[in-house]
């Protein structure tokens, strides 16, 4: 833990709390997140509803506890897919070199120029609103970020003597990549993935906010900012503020963590 | 010159591929284009026939693509199924809002972000720490959260700014666009401040700055003639990339503040499965991104004599 | 009175909560128009000494001792006077012109910048003067060169540009910090010859910093040899090379390959050079010295203005053959 430093440890602790809370939400949450108590609709903070209730009278705290599930699932999927695909492309490019490398790099450069949210909107247009469309689009958009970093690391690694030694021993290219290259690249891939996770959380939540990602009535932080915004217009800003601040805290923790991991690589 | 030609040719290739993908996507939809185009609507046989005719669904794929591309090149993107209007006209009437919003945000970012970065990089100390903390805060807060919070505080709470709508006349429009532009710019300004700070710091430690010191120049002269000029190279790149990000961000911001720009048109078209609009907007956006990238590269080689050809 | 008098100069930088001494008890004088060579291995503190003369020490460094230039104490100068000193009186030539000249400004900008800012010359006149100076350092076609950027010039040409930029201000003293080390062997002697000739013509004094004792001896009137942040020997160039008094000087002289004879075995000084803060309490050179006695490791020998070795009187050391 010491290598994370004070801030890094705090960030890791916050993420751990969020993870535990959301896993244990059925035990911890004071209410059923979907139970509409119309009498307390738009209620402010009180002992029964610490963070108030939304426009349908659902308890905001309980919905926040459950909401981490959908809020973090999408980004986690995006990062898994883009890290695997990006790493595979990067190692292929670095290993093959020449024309293969040129083509892969060029395509990645073009993808790089288009912001992630635009990709997600296109795939959502085709697949319809929902997490699958969002994940598909963002996974494509995030691949070049991973691939760029891993490719240059792989090129460096490839020129080291141990690779040549394995080559001389008659190992296959695939075996060298998987057995030797990949383990050495792992810290870089992990650091890069964690950094990208922060951006993925922002993008997925934004798309849900637009109504194109997670669909109501699910409890989701992005959606809660949206419905909380409507409540704020009617005088009750608590839902929007608490959901918004929570997203910002999680993103900040993830980026601090990514930064610290990147530094120790 | 040949560099420019080469870049323009590359640009054309990218756009061609993008247009093909955008057009082809329609055929990837589960159920094929017909199911997609009809969407949730149950089509009468006449409607189905009209759609078949409009999209020439009976022609071979490549032929359809080429004729669509030919039309698109002349600015004809077909007509919207929902609005029953020319797509080009729909886009034309909304582009101004988006351009104004992005332009406004770009000004805020360049002024605010670079100024903060310079202050942090040149002054150091407490100010540097404060700017560092502030920029981390802005970077971690998603734009839609910033927008909602700003609207809650400054429109609903304090009543300083209108919440919704685009306004009339340029000044009123700018007034209406102020909160959206701030929303759009905070994260990018924070990022730009970081990059500016880092490159100023790096440049201050360069050997050629030591030479300038040894030649007895004043600190102001050194900063102006040697540090800023050299540090501007990464700053310009990041500013350019930021503008591309702003165009994407405007999709979200327009939806928060109910602005009638390209972004809100885009999102509504997706929800209503109005594919002619989706295709056209995507092409417009991709063109914008690629053009901005080209511009950044051109600035880059103008600023750095080592790259000029 | 000499132009520059350094006495008892010590310089330390903070590192991990303690002071690291980089330069200690340095005494050095340079007369007007005189060339003095400062010779020593890497890390011995040569550059630090030269920088201290201009007040260009690393941030947070602690400087003590005295540096008197033309009657004024440099270490107590205010920022403005220090700038004036750098602008008009002392010029510095750095080792790597490629890094030490701003890559995004043209050669013309670099040359005229100081003439305009420090001498108040009009830009046009400064450009004309820059062309003349370029011709003097052996670069023809000056008008075209002024429009070029540093990356378009070779290292040798760029170092001539740097020399021209210093000559332009007619300083009284030139600090040349390994002016030829970054250049390839064939251009080294040309550049050195140009620098020495032009400064002689103008009567400028020079502190030449180099690793190369022979080069320094060929160019300079007097030499000072530095080891681990201290001067170990300082004498007239001819006598220092002919009959060195310090074992380290002798070692430097013997470890140089000569072109005119076939060398069967090149002598090297065993061990590696140390920085001032790494040195043992006794003579810093003792661990590498062939003549060291047990006593050498205990007390640090005092520099008497000529040599800092307790055994200098009894030893007869080999010099240049
Ligand atoms: N900015 C700095 N901060 C701390 N220590 C430094 C700094 N610059 C140099 N040093 C250290 O000071 C010592 C003397 O450095 P200096 O540059 O004066 O050596 P030098 O004799 O010029 O060597 P070289 O021949 O390599 O240029 C070295 O040990 C070096 O590591
Ligand atoms: Mg040096």
């Amino acid at each position: 833990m010491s290598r994370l430093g004070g801030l890094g440890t705090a960030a890791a602790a916050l993420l751990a709390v969020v993870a535990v809370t959301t896993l244990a939400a059925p035990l911890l949450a004071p209410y059923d997140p979907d139970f509409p108590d119309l009498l307390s609709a738009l209620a402010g903070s009180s002992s029964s509803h610490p963070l108030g209730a939304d426009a349908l009278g659902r308890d905001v705290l309980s919905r926040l506890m459950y909401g981490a599930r959908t809020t973090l699932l999408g980004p986690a999927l995006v990062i898994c897919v883009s890290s695997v695909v990006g790493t595979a492309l990067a190692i292929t490019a670095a290993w093959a070199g020449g024309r293969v490398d040129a083509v892969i790099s060029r395509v990645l450069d073009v993808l790089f120029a288009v912001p992630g949210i635009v990709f997600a909107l296109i795939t959502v247009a085709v697949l319809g609103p929902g997490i699958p469309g969002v994940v598909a689009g963002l996974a494509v958009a995030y691949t070049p970020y991973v691939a760029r970093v891993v490719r240059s690391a792989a090129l460096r690694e490839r020129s080291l003597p141990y690779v040549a030694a394995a080559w001389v021993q008659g190992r296959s290219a695939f075996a060298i990549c998987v057995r030797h290259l990949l383990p050495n690249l792992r810290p870089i891939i992990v650091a890069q993935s964690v950094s990208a996770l922060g951006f993925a959380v922002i993008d997925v939540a934004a798309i849900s906010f637009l109504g194109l990602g997670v669909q109501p009535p699910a409890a989701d932080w992005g959606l809660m900012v949206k419905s909380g915004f409507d409540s704020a217009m009617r005088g009750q800003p608590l839902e929007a503020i608490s959901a918004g601040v929570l997203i910002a805290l999680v993103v900040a923790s993830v980026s601090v963590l990514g930064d610290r991991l990147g530094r120790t690589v | 010159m040949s560099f420019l030609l080469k870049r323009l040719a590359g640009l054309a290739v990218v756009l061609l591929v993008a247009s093909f993908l955008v057009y082809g996507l329609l055929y990837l939809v589960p159920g094929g284009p017909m199911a997609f185009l009809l969407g949730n609507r149950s089509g009468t046989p006449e409607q189905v026939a009209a759609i078949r005719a409009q999209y020439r669904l009976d022609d071979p794929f490549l032929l359809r693509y080429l004729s669509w591309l030919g039309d698109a090149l002349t600015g004809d993107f077909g007509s919207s199924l929902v609005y029953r209007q020319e797509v080009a006209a729909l886009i034309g009437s909304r582009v101004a809002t988006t351009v104004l919003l992005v332009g406004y945000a770009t000004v805020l970012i360049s002024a605010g972000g670079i100024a903060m970065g310079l202050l942090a990089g040149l002054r150091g100390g407490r100010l540097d720490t404060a700017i560092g903390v502030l920029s981390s805060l802005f970077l971690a807060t998603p734009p839609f959260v910033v927008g909602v919070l700003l609207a809650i505080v400054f429109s609903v709470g304090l009543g300083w700014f209108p919440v919704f709508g685009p306004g009339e006349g340029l000044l009123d429009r700018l007034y209406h666009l102020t909160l959206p532009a701030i929303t759009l710019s905070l994260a990018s300004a924070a990022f730009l401040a970081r990059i500016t700070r880092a490159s100023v710091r790096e440049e201050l430690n360069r050997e050629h700055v030591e030479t300038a010191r040894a030649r007895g120049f004043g600190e102001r002269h050194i900063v102006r003639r040697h540090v800023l000029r050299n540090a501007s190279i990464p700053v310009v790149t990041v500013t350019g990339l930021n503008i591309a990000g702003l165009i994407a961000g405007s999709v979200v911001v327009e939806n928060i503040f109910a602005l009638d720009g390209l972004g809100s048109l885009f999102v509504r078209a997706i929800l209503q499965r109005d594919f002619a609009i989706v295709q056209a907007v995507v092409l417009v956006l991709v063109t914008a991104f690629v053009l901005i990238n080209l511009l950044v590269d051109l600035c880059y080689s103008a600023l750095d004599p080592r790259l000029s050809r | 009175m000499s132009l520059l008098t350094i006495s008892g100069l010590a310089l330390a930088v903070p590192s991990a909560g303690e002071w690291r001494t980089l330069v200690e008890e340095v005494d050095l004088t340079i007369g007007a128009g005189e060339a003095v060579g400062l010779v020593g291995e890497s890390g011995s503190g040569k550059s630090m000494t030269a920088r201290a003369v201009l007040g260009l020490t690393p941030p947070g460094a602690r400087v003590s001792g005295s540096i008197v230039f033309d009657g004024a104490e440099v270490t107590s100068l205010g920022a403005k006077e220090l700038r004036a000193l750098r602008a008009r009186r002392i010029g510095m030539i750095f080792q790597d012109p490629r890094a030490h000249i701003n890559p995004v400004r043209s050669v013309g900008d670099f040359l005229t910048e100081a003439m305009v800012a420090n001498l108040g010359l009009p830009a046009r006149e400064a450009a004309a003067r820059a062309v003349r100076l370029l011709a003097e350092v052996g670069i023809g076609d000056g008008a075209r060169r002024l429009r070029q950027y540093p990356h378009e010039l070779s290292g040798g040409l760029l170092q001539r540009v740097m020399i021209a930029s210093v000559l332009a201000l007619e300083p009284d003293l030139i600090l040349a910090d390994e002016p030829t080390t970054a250049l390839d062997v064939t251009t080294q002697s040309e550049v050195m010859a140009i620098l020495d000739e032009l400064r002689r013509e103008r009567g400028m004094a020079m502190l030449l910093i180099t690793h190369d004792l022979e080069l320094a001896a060929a160019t300079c009137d007097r030499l000072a040899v530095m080891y681990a942040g201290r001067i170990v020997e300082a004498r007239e160039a001819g006598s220092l090379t002919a009959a060195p008094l310090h074992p380290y000087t002798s070692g430097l002289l013997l470890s140089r390959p000569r072109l005119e004879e076939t060398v069967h075995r090149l002598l090297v000084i065993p061990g590696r050079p140390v920085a001032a803060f790494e040195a043992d309490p006794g003579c810093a050179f003792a661990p590498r010295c062939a003549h060291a006695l047990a006593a050498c490791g205990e007390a640090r020998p005092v520099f008497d203005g000529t040599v800092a070795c307790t055994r200098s009187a009894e030893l007869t050391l080999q010099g240049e053959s």
Side-chain angles (χ1 to χ4, degrees), chain C residues 46-47 95 177-178 209:
Chain C
K46 308 180 297 290
S47 298
Q95 172 175 346
D177 191 352
E178 308 193 28
I209 294 175

Side-chain angles (χ1 to χ4, degrees), chain C residues 213 223 225 232-254 291 306-307 309 311-321:
Chain C
L213 190 46
L223 298 181
V225 178
V232 292
E233 182 167 358
R235 289 161 66 208
E236 192 270 317
S239 52
L240 182 136
T241 48
L245 292 176
H246 197 284
Y248 179 60
T249 313
S250 166
L252 282 182
L253 285 166
L254 294 178
H291 309 279
T306 311
V307 67
C309 177
R311 304 195 63 201
S312 59
E314 40 178 316
L315 293 174
T316 312
L317 297 166
Q318 200 184 343
E320 208 172 29
S321 37

Side-chain angles (χ1 to χ4, degrees), chain C residues 11-15 20-23 39-51 57-59 95 177-178 181 209-211 226 229 274-278:
Chain C
L11 193 152
V13 291
S15 161
R20 275 195 164 179
T21 303
L22 302 182
V23 169
V39 186
E41 282 167 294
S42 196
S44 55
K46 308 180 297 290
S47 298
M48 280 294 156
T49 306
R51 266 150 223 237
T57 45
Q95 172 175 346
D177 191 352
E178 308 193 28
T181 312
I209 294 175
T210 173
H211 292 167
M226 228 174 155
V274 291
F277 59 89
E278 300 170 308

Side-chain angles (χ1 to χ4, degrees), chain A residues 215-226:
Chain A
Q215 296 295 310
D220 175 86
W221 296 350
L223 275 177
M224 288 177 76
V225 175
K226 173 79 179 162

